[in-house]
Amino acid sequence: MGFIDNHILSLMTFLPVLGAAAILCVPRGKDDVIRWIAAAASFLPLVLSVKLLYAFDRSVAGVNVAGQFQFVEHYSWIPSINVEYFLGADGISMPMLILTALLSFLAVIGSFGIEKKVKGYMALFLLLETGMMGVFASLDFFLFYVFWEVMLLPMYFLIGIWGGPRKEYAAIKFFLYTLAGSVLMLLVLLALYFNTTNPETGGHTFNLLHYMAQSTHNGWLKGFDVRILLFLGLFIGFAIKVPLFPFHTWLPDAHVEAPTAISVILAGVLLKMGTYGLMRISFPIFPDVTRWFAVPMAVIGVINIVYGALCAMAQSDLKKMVAYSSVSHMGFVMLGMAALTPTGMVGGAMQMFSHGLITAMLFFLVGVVYDRAHHRQIDGFGGLGAVVPVYTAFVSFAFFASLGLPGLSGFIAEQMVFLGSFDVFRTIVVIAALGIIFVAAFHLWALQRVFLGPLNPKYAALEEINAREVFCLAPLGIIVMYIGVWPMPVISLMNSSLVHLVDLVKAVI
Amino acid sequence: MFLGNLGSLRYFLPEIAVTATILLLVVLHVASNRRTSAAPALLSLLGVGTAILLVGVSPAGGGKSIFEGMAAYDGFAVFFKGLTSLATVVVILMSMDSTELAGRSQAEYYIFLLATLLGMFLLSSATDIVMVYLSLELVSIPSYLLAGYLKGKEDSVEAAMKYVVYGATASGVMIYGFSLLFGLTGSTQIAEIGRSLVAGKATLPMLLAAVMAAVGFGYKIAAVPFHMWSPDVYEGAPTPATAFFSIGPKAAGFAVLVRFYYTVFASPTPGTGIWHLTTSVDWPLLFAVLSALTMTVGNLVAVKQNNVKRLLAYSSIAHAGYMLMGFVLLSSAGIEAILFYLVVYLFMNLGAFYVVVLVGNGTKGEDIADFSGLGSRAPFAAVSLAVFLFALTGIPPFSGFIGKLYLFAEVIHRGVYWLAVVAALNSVVSLYYYARIVKVMFLEEPKDTAALPVPAVTRAMLVLLVAPTLILGVYWEPVARIASNSVKMLAF
C-alpha cells in the first residue's frame, strides 16, 4: 500500500487517462466493455478520494506553507527551466478533489445511455477527468496551466460531437473564450517566472508557494501598477471560467448544447476552477491588489446574482434556465470571497461545493425529461406531477435546494456568504439578498408550469425515472441533505486553510 | 585563421554527399528514364541519409572558418544542416506517397529537391555576402522548378511564374543592399563588415543596407510585406513541394537572417548571452514591427481560406511571425527559442501536410469540405491531423505549446510586452481556423462515407511525426539542450 499512499494524488489524476488508453485498445463494437472500463477508471479515483478524506489532517492550513501540504509529490520535471512536478492538497483543494471524483463517476454512469461513438466519448471524458484532477492537485503554476489547457480539447469534442443542434457554434465559442483567458494567464505566468527567484536555488521558479512569499519578488514585481495589471490578467482568465459578468456569454450556449453528463461536469466542476484559481493563485500572490479590488469583485458578484436570476426567469428552455441559475449561484461565491472574512470565504467555498452537487442534480434531471420528451420547453409540459411522481419529487427537491431552502446545503452556503459579507459591504449585500427573491421566483414558476396545473395529454404516458438515473441522483441528494443539516464535516475540511488565507490576504505587505 | 580549400573539405562532407547524389541522379536519369521507377527516390533517400549521418558524426571542436572565410563550420550551421536534411527525408517519403507526381519524370524532381537542400546547407553556413547571395539563389532556382513541376496544370505554372518574379526582385534589392555594405567597408566578409561599420557615421546608407537585406531574407521566410508569393505558390505547387517550402527554405532563411544581422549590425557582450547594437540602425524595432504584422496578417487572412493548402500557407506565414519574435531580442535565449520552434514546427507542419497529401490522393481535392467526415472515413489520419493542428495552435500538451512558450518567455524576459500581447491574441485567432478543419473532420457527417485507404507505410510515417509532437510536449529537455548548445557554438 506504500505506493498508493505515496502517490495518491498522481493516481487520482492519471488513472482516468490510463482507462482512456485501455478503452482505445478495445475493439470496435464492444460498447458495454468500454462503458464498464470507463466506470472502473472513474470509480477508482472516487475510492481514493474517500481514502484521502479519511487521511486528511484538518488542523493544518497549507495555502502558502510548503510543510503543511498533504499527500505531496515533488519531483523535478524540466530542470533547465525549473518546471516541477509538484502535487499537494490542502483545505482549498480537498473539497474540489472529492467533488470532481464524485461527479466524474456519476457522469460516466449517467452517460451509459450514449449510443453514438461510445469509444471516443468515454476516452475523451476520462481525459477530461485527468485534466480536472490535475488542476486541483497542482502546486506548480506551469503544471497547473498544462492541466488547465488539457481540459479544453476533450471538452471541445464532447460538446461538438455529442451536443445538441447548435453544438458546433457552442463548442468553438467555449474553446475561443477559454483560450483567450488562458493566453492572458500564460503571459502573467511568464512575467511571474522571470521576476521571482527561488530562495533555495537562486534560479527562476514556477512554484506557486514561492510566488506567495513576497520576498521572492524582484523590484519590478513590487510596483503596484504592475501588480494590478498582472492581477487583472489572471482575474480575466479566471472570470471567463467562472463565468463572471460580462464574460459569461459562452456559458448558456455551451451548457445548453452539451450532452447531459457534460453539462453536469461543466457546471459542477469547470465553473469552480475559476474561483478555485482565484483562491489558490490570485489572492495569496497579490494580497494587496486583492484588497484593492475587493469592492469591484463584490459588485461583479452581485451583478451575477441578480442578472443571472433575471435571465433565468426569462428563459423558456428548462436547460437554459438551469444554466443561468449557475451564473447567479456563482455570484454568491464571488461575493463571499470578496468580503475577505473567514465566514465569507468559507461560505464561498461551501457554495462551490454545494452548487456542484445541486447543479449536477438539476442537469441530470433536465436530461431525464429531455431523453423522454425530446424537448425542454417549460411551457410545453404541464401537470407532469400526476404522471411521474418520483421524478417530480426529485425535481422539487433539487429546485428547493437550488433556491436555498433551509435544511439543504445551498441555504448554509448562502447564509454564510451573507453573514460574512454583510458587515463589509452592506448595500451590496442587501441588493444580493433581494436577488434571492428572483432566484426563488424562477424556480417556483418553472416548477408550477411543468408539474402542476392541468395535464398535457401528450405526456400522459411519460415514462418514470429509471433505476440508473436514480443511482446518479440519490447520492447527490443525500449529501445535499446531510450538509444542510450538519455542515461541520465540510466546514472543518476547509476551515483552517481558508482562515489562514484570509489572514494572509489581510496581512499588510 | 581561415582554413584553405583542401583543409576545409573534411568539414564539408555532408555537402559532398548531397552533391554526389545529385550527380548520380543525373546519370541515372540519362541511363533510364522510366517514369514509374522508385530508384531516384530511393537513391535520394540514401544520399540524404548519408548526409544526416555525416552531419551527426561531423568533427566537433568549436567554430571554424572554412574555404578562405566563405563559410563557417559551427554548431549553428550543423544544427540547420541536420534540420533541413531531416525535413528533406520526410518530404522524399511524402513524394513517394503522393499520386500528384505519379507519371512525371522522377529523377528531375529529386535533383531539384536535393539541389535546394545543398543550397540550404550553404545558406546556413555562409559568412561572405557573395556566398550568401549565391546560396540564396541556389535555394531559390530549384524551388521555382519544383513549384512549377506540375506542367500543364495552370495553378502550378502560375505559382512558378509568381515565385520567379518575386524572387528575382527580392534578391535584386538584397544585392543592392550588399553592394552598399561593400562600398562602405571594402569587404565581403560579414565579420569584417561588422567590425568596420562605425556608429554615427554613414547612417543613411547603413539603414538602406539593413532594410534592403531585409527584403531578400524577408522574402525567403515569407514575412509580411514580402509574403505575397507564398499563398499562390503553396496552393499551386505539388503538395510535397509545398510542405518542403514551408519548412526547409524558411529554416535556412532564419539561419542566414540571424547570422547576417547578428554579425554585421550587432556584437555579443561577452559572458552575458546578450548582443548589443553596433550601429545606430534600430533593426530590431523594424523586425519587431514586421513580426507583429506577419503574424497578424497571416492569421487574419487564414481565417477566410477554404483551400487547406492556402490556409496552411497563411498559417506558415503566421508562424514565421512568431519565430521573428525570437530574432529581435538580441539574446541567445531568443535564438535558442527560434531553433527549438523550428524543430517542433518541422514535425507538426510536415505532419499536417502529410495528411493533406493523403486526403488529396483519396478525394482529389484539397478544400476544407473535402475533409468532412474524415474522422469516420480515416480515423487514424484524422486524429493525427487534429494533433498537428492543435500543436500548431499552441495548446498543451502538444509540442507547439512548448515552442511558443520559449518564444513568449524570452519576449517577456526582455521586456517587449506589447509584442507578447499581440502574439498571445494571435494564438487565439489561429485556433479559429485550425479548429475549422477539425470541425469538418469530426463534427460533420461525410458526403461520401467510403473509408479512405491509409497504406501501412503512411501510417508508420504518421506515427513517426505524431510521436515527437506528443513527446516534445511533455518532455523536451534534450531538444532544448541541443538548441542551446548550437547557439553557444555560433561562431562568425
Side-chain angles (χ1 to χ4, degrees), chain A residues 28 77-81 83 116-117 142 145-146 149-150 152-153 156-157 159-161 167-168 171-172 175-177 179-181 183-184 186-191 193-195 204 206 220, chain B residues 376 379 386 390 393-398 401-402 404-406 408-410 412-413 417 420-421 424-425 427-429 431-432 435-436 438-439 442-445 473-477 480-481:
Chain A
R28 208 177 277 262
W77 174 15
I78 304 291
S80 65
I81 54 170
V83 179
K116 177 181 168 191
K117 299 181 187 165
F142 190 90
Y145 185 81
V146 169
E149 295 277 281
V150 161
L152 290 182
L153 287 179
Y156 170 76
F157 287 112
I159 299 175
I161 300 180
K167 59 191 184 178
E168 288 153 21
I172 192 68
F175 206 159
L176 285 171
Y177 261 73
L179 188 69
V183 293
L184 279 177
L186 178 65
L187 296 182
V188 175
L189 173 143
L190 291 170
Y193 173 76
F194 284 112
N195 293 290
H204 296 309
F206 283 113
W220 183 81
Chain B
S376 49
F390 285 124
T393 316
I395 295 178
F398 304 120
F401 166 66
I402 309 300
K404 269 195 184 147
L405 176 87
Y406 272 101
F408 283 28
E410 191 54 17
I412 288 187
H413 188 205
Y417 301 110
V421 172
L425 294 178
S427 292
V428 182
V429 176
L431 169 69
Y432 183 76
R436 268 180 73 200
V438 175
K439 186 189 88 175
F442 291 99
L443 276 51
E444 284 179 7
E445 297 302 324
V474 181
Y475 189 73
W476 61 92
E477 178 95 9
R481 206 174 298 130

Side-chain angles (χ1 to χ4, degrees), chain B residues 127-449:
Chain B
T127 54
D128 185 292
I129 51 179
V130 177
M131 192 65 197
V132 168
Y133 177 74
L134 285 177
S135 43
L136 196 79
E137 291 296 321
L138 185 54
V139 174
S140 297
I141 293 168
S143 300
Y144 306 148
L145 295 165
L146 283 174
Y149 204 71
L150 302 180
K151 244 180 336 199
K153 193 182 153 205
E154 209 172 306
D155 286 356
S156 184
V157 177
E158 183 194 328
M161 200 58 217
K162 265 207 171 119
Y163 208 0
V164 170
V165 173
Y166 273 94
T169 314
S171 58
V173 173
M174 182 181 76
I175 199 143
Y176 190 90
F178 284 177
S179 73
L180 287 176
L181 284 179
F182 179 71
L184 287 172
T185 61
S187 171
T188 57
Q189 301 273 316
I190 58 172
E192 188 55 38
I193 295 173
R195 277 191 289 274
S196 314
L197 290 179
V198 184
K201 280 193 183 160
T203 306
L204 183 66
M206 273 196 270
L207 180 68
L208 274 177
V211 172
M212 286 176 155
V215 175
F217 300 139
Y219 148 82
K220 210 68 255 172
I221 60 172
V224 173
F226 317 113
H227 67 290
M228 303 290 190
W229 58 273
S230 83
D232 291 320
V233 170
Y234 278 34
E235 189 182 348
T239 311
T242 306
F244 186 61
F245 297 154
S246 74
I247 169 79
K250 200 171 276 237
F254 269 102
V256 69
L257 187 70
V258 169
R259 196 187 285 280
F260 182 81
Y261 279 89
Y262 278 60
T263 314
V264 173
F265 296 107
S267 116
T269 313
T272 57
I274 306 276
W275 270 258
H276 58 267
L277 294 180
T278 49
T279 69
S280 45
V281 178
D282 193 1
W283 55 268
L285 181 65
L286 171 77
F287 278 98
V289 173
L290 285 187
S291 155
L293 277 177
T294 303
M295 60 180 100
T296 311
V297 170
N299 279 322
L300 289 181
V301 182
V303 169
K304 286 273 166 210
Q305 304 307 317
N306 284 320
N307 178 298
V308 173
K309 273 163 81 181
R310 221 176 156 81
L311 185 146
L312 287 175
Y314 281 105
S315 123
S316 92
I317 292 172
H319 284 274
Y322 298 137
M323 285 186 265
L324 270 178
M325 291 197 298
F327 171 68
V328 304
L329 301 172
L330 291 176
S331 70
S332 48
I335 305 174
E336 276 164 49
I338 299 178
L339 301 198
F340 188 89
Y341 202 88
L342 281 168
V343 174
V344 299
Y345 179 71
L346 172 98
F347 293 111
M348 58 194 185
N349 208 43
L350 286 180
F353 274 109
Y354 217 115
V355 181
V356 174
V357 169
L358 190 72
V359 173
N361 288 347
T363 66
K364 302 287 169 237
E366 44 202 35
D367 281 341
I368 292 187
D370 293 313
F371 286 70
S372 73
L374 198 66
S376 49
R377 298 183 67 188
F380 184 76
V383 170
S384 310
L385 183 56
V387 168
F388 297 132
L389 293 174
F390 285 124
L392 285 166
T393 316
I395 295 178
F398 304 120
S399 61
F401 166 66
I402 309 300
K404 269 195 184 147
L405 176 87
Y406 272 101
L407 283 169
F408 283 28
E410 191 54 17
V411 172
I412 288 187
H413 188 205
R414 301 284 286 155
V416 196
Y417 301 110
W418 66 270
L419 194 53
V421 172
V422 171
L425 294 178
N426 264 290
S427 292
V428 182
V429 176
S430 74
L431 169 69
Y432 183 76
Y433 61 84
Y434 292 127
R436 268 180 73 200
I437 304 180
V438 175
K439 186 189 88 175
V440 300
M441 288 197 302
F442 291 99
L443 276 51
E444 284 179 7
E445 297 302 324
K447 287 174 290 189
D448 174 7
T449 49

Side-chain angles (χ1 to χ4, degrees), chain A residues 182-252:
Chain A
S182 0
V183 293
L184 279 177
M185 200 197 299
L186 178 65
L187 296 182
V188 175
L189 173 143
L190 291 170
L192 282 170
Y193 173 76
F194 284 112
N195 293 290
T196 46
T197 43
N198 182 340
E200 289 141 32
T201 61
H204 296 309
T205 176
F206 283 113
N207 187 325
L208 282 172
L209 306 182
H210 288 318
Y211 292 165
M212 294 175 198
Q214 307 292 329
S215 57
T216 59
H217 296 193
N218 72 7
W220 183 81
L221 195 52
K222 285 195 163 76
F224 195 59
D225 295 347
V226 169
R227 296 173 70 84
I228 288 177
L229 268 181
L230 295 186
F231 180 89
L232 289 181
L234 278 181
F235 184 79
I236 293 174
F238 292 136
I240 289 174
K241 205 83 172 181
V242 175
L244 297 174
F245 180 87
F247 305 110
H248 65 284
T249 58
W250 64 268
L251 179 137

Side-chain angles (χ1 to χ4, degrees), chain B residues 14-154:
Chain B
E15 285 86 346
I16 293 173
V18 174
T19 314
T21 314
I22 295 174
L23 294 175
L24 279 175
L25 280 169
V26 173
V27 173
L28 188 74
H29 184 42
V30 173
S32 131
N33 192 17
R34 280 194 318 158
R35 300 195 157 196
T36 52
S37 165
L42 294 176
L43 182 62
S44 318
L45 269 184
L46 189 71
V48 182
T50 315
I52 292 184
L53 215 63
L54 291 170
V55 168
V57 301
S58 49
K64 292 205 168 34
S65 196
I66 56 176
F67 293 115
E68 311 285 357
M70 287 306 241
Y73 174 82
D74 55 13
F76 188 73
V78 167
F79 176 89
F80 276 95
K81 287 175 196 171
L83 186 84
T84 49
S85 343
L86 197 60
T88 309
V89 169
V90 179
V91 169
I92 293 172
L93 291 167
M94 205 188 286
S95 310
M96 291 169 75
D97 255 1
S98 163
T99 53
E100 256 179 315
L101 297 165
R104 295 176 191 272
S105 170
Q106 298 288 305
E108 284 170 13
Y109 175 82
Y110 291 105
I111 291 171
F112 300 147
L113 204 61
L114 263 59
T116 315
L117 177 64
L118 182 62
M120 296 190 296
F121 279 7
L122 296 174
L123 193 57
S124 53
S125 50
T127 54
D128 185 292
I129 51 179
V130 177
M131 192 65 197
V132 168
Y133 177 74
L134 285 177
S135 43
L136 196 79
E137 291 296 321
L138 185 54
V139 174
S140 297
I141 293 168
S143 300
Y144 306 148
L145 295 165
L146 283 174
Y149 204 71
L150 302 180
K151 244 180 336 199
K153 193 182 153 205
E154 209 172 306

